[in-house]
Amino acid sequence: MHRGKGMKFVGDSRVPAPESRKTMLPKDYSEYPGKTEAFWPNFLLKEWMIGAVFLVGYLCLTVAHPAPLERIADPTDTGYIPLPDWYFLFLYQLLKYTYASGPYTVIGAMVIPGLAFGGLLLAPFLDVGPERRPLKRPLATSFMLLAIAATVFLTWQSVATHDWAAAERQGKIVAKVDFDKTSDGYKIATDNACITCHGDSFQGGAGAPTLIGTGLSAEEVAKIAVEGKKGPGGTMPAGIFKGNDEQLKKLSEFIAEIGKK
């Protein structure tokens, strides 16, 4: 056919050579502002490596310093001093104040935290200006500093006012000892309110130490039951025991034998 008669050329069917195709792509990510490397796999590989290092570090820390375990929780022990995890200490301290505890527990447990966290949710809508420098954003900066100061102060107060020695005594893990709760000694202990402070299994509680394996003789137990005791392990006032001499003898012998092998 003659050129131009019955045939038309549409587009360009030429395929660029591989060398020419490479020159069409950027050699690196410098042409893209803020992009210096590929997200996959370069960036993610670095993130995974850093995460693995921190994970190994935390595992080594947990092995070197095991979590301090306490005895099994006893809901009947009203004298136990609780302590939440460190990131809840500021809320725990808040519940100690007059208008945030007792009949006002709802205010301390729900109203005040609800307002605080609600303010965080509304923060993006309260400050919509384009300025990002803290000094140019007085409201947002003030609220942030106030929240940080309140959290730090309440956390510090909770730690400073906590009775760590009493909590350690109450949470101490003691060996479980089986004894006859139908014996005369246990009945006398029950009648004289011994289990009210020392627990129904004499495991300790309500600021009183455990009576398991005390190492005291029957005479020493009888003396403490009548005269009381003051010391770092707890204070027992005098005159709590109301029984006679025969009951005192049975009680002291019973307690002195608890935990002995």
Side-chain angles (χ1 to χ4, degrees):
M1 294 179 67
H2 296 286
R3 183 180 180 85
K5 295 181 179 180
M7 181 178 292
K8 293 182 178 180
F9 293 96
V10 180
D12 189 352
S13 60
R14 292 175 297 175
V15 179
E19 293 77 14
S20 301
R21 197 181 304 168
K22 291 181 179 179
T23 59
M24 297 173 62
L25 299 176
K27 295 181 180 181
D28 54 27
Y29 285 80
S30 60
E31 297 183 12
Y32 301 93
K35 305 293 184 180
T36 58
E37 60 180 341
F39 179 77
W40 171 267
N42 300 17
F43 180 78
L44 284 183
L45 180 60
K46 292 181 180 180
E47 293 293 314
W48 290 339
M49 292 179 63
I50 294 175
V53 171
F54 274 93
L55 178 60
V56 172
Y58 278 120
L59 291 177
C60 293
L61 183 63
T62 56
V63 172
H65 300 280
L69 300 179
E70 295 185 354
R71 61 182 173 87
I72 299 177
D74 183 9
T76 63
D77 184 6
T78 58
Y80 180 75
I81 304 175
L83 190 68
D85 292 323
W86 64 270
Y87 42 81
F88 285 131
L89 284 177
F90 69 100
L91 291 176
Y92 171 69
Q93 180 64 23
L94 183 65
L95 295 175
K96 296 180 181 180
Y97 296 121
T98 302
Y99 293 102
S101 60
Y104 306 101
T105 302
V106 176
I107 298 178
M110 299 182 65
V111 176
I112 296 179
L115 292 176
F117 288 108
L120 291 177
L121 294 176
L122 295 176
F125 305 98
L126 297 177
D127 189 356
V128 295
E131 189 61 54
R132 288 295 175 264
R133 288 179 294 180
L135 295 179
K136 298 294 185 179
R137 304 173 63 187
L139 289 179
T141 303
S142 300
F143 287 143
M144 179 194 69
L145 294 177
L146 179 62
I148 293 176
T151 302
V152 172
F153 174 75
L154 291 174
T155 302
W156 175 79
Q157 279 287 101
S158 178
V159 174
T161 57
H162 185 68
D163 193 343
W164 295 97
E168 183 179 359
R169 290 194 303 267
Q170 291 179 351
K172 185 178 180 181
I173 298 177
V174 295
K176 185 177 180 180
V177 178
D178 295 327
F179 48 85
D180 186 9
K181 291 188 176 182
T182 62
S183 62
D184 294 337
Y186 188 83
K187 293 179 180 179
I188 296 173
T190 303
D191 295 337
N192 287 272
C194 296
I195 64 174
T196 303
C197 296
H198 296 279
D200 58 348
S201 297
F202 302 107
Q203 73 277 8
T210 177
L211 297 181
I212 300 175
T214 59
L216 300 175
S217 63
E219 291 75 14
E220 292 173 326
V221 173
K223 182 178 179 181
I224 295 174
V226 175
E227 301 178 2
K229 180 182 178 182
K230 294 182 179 181
T235 300
M236 176 178 173
I240 293 182
F241 181 77
K242 303 299 183 181
N244 53 38
D245 293 341
E246 182 180 358
Q247 292 175 331
L248 178 62
K249 183 175 183 298
K250 291 181 179 180
L251 174 65
S252 59
E253 292 176 350
F254 173 76
I255 294 178
E257 293 296 322
I258 297 178
K260 282 189 176 182
K261 295 183 179 180

